[in-house]
Amino acid sequence: MKRYFEFAGRTRTLLVAFVATAAFLFLVFPNLPINGEMLDVKPGYSYDEAMASMEEYGPDGRTTYAWGSILLDTLFPLVYVTFFAGLIYRFRLTERTWWLAFLPVGAGIWDLMENVQITAMLIGYPDIGPAQVASASAFTTVKGYIGPVYQILGIGLLLVALVRRAVNRIRSGGD
């Protein structure tokens, strides 16, 4: 895994992963023609809310969402995990803290498990039980708590590195 983290921490890899992450968030997912808000982006949902969303999507929306979940929402964790694992690994404060790059990897795996559950509900509609919805919603809720942890860590480490760089330039006479 260390080799993957080294690859992810390269400048070019970070830039490509950042652009891909932004493209998914701002161009791809918001423009999927599913006729409603994706369950993935909600903080959680009840059985009634999930069923109402499934109905709102309609047959075409459910099919589009299911394919999007299988294809696009499998690629998306790969790019955001690469971006944040790369940030955390590259800008770690000490060599001994390299293992923190595993945080986004764990989150990506969790996200994939959430995607499997949501896809199963989309395919199985209307034969969805409350336990299935509760499980999927729990994965969505936990994902919502995990995300800010590695995101703040990655961006925080980047900011620390930028501040250190600026201080070093000032100390060396602005070269």
Side-chain angles (χ1 to χ4, degrees):
M1 277 304 280
K2 234 178 172 181
R3 289 178 72 175
Y4 163 70
F5 294 146
E6 289 168 1
F7 167 77
R10 294 179 186 164
T11 301
R12 183 171 293 178
T13 305
L14 284 169
L15 288 173
V16 168
F18 174 76
V19 169
T21 299
F24 272 105
L25 287 174
F26 300 111
L27 298 174
V28 176
F29 289 129
N31 291 305
L32 281 178
I34 64 167
N35 305 321
E37 184 180 26
M38 297 175 77
L39 294 173
D40 310 62
V41 300
K42 295 182 179 193
Y45 40 88
S46 68
Y47 176 78
D48 291 338
E49 290 168 330
M51 294 304 281
S53 290
M54 296 285 173
E55 182 64 32
E56 183 180 5
Y57 302 149
D60 291 341
R62 285 191 300 276
T63 300
T64 300
Y65 191 174
W67 278 110
S69 186
I70 291 168
L71 301 173
L72 300 173
D73 214 2
T74 297
L75 293 174
F76 179 56
L78 178 63
V79 296
Y80 78 71
V81 164
T82 299
F83 177 67
F84 283 102
L87 274 183
I88 292 167
Y89 184 82
R90 179 171 177 171
F91 299 112
R92 64 196 181 277
L93 297 178
T94 67
E95 186 60 36
R96 291 177 48 186
T97 59
W98 71 270
W99 60 270
L100 290 171
F102 278 105
L103 290 172
V105 173
I109 292 168
W110 191 266
D111 191 357
L112 291 172
M113 292 188 307
E114 174 208 30
N115 295 342
V116 167
Q117 293 185 50
I118 289 174
T119 302
M121 290 191 308
L122 290 162
I123 293 169
Y125 180 82
D127 299 320
I128 304 169
Q132 184 178 12
V133 172
S135 178
S137 179
F139 269 82
T140 301
T141 300
V142 171
K143 181 184 79 171
Y145 289 118
I146 295 171
V149 173
Y150 69 81
Q151 293 164 7
I152 290 168
L153 178 62
I155 292 168
L157 289 171
L158 172 62
L159 292 175
V160 167
L162 291 173
V163 168
R164 283 182 174 178
R165 185 180 210 181
V167 168
N168 288 338
R169 280 192 174 169
I170 292 168
R171 286 185 182 161
S172 66
D175 294 335

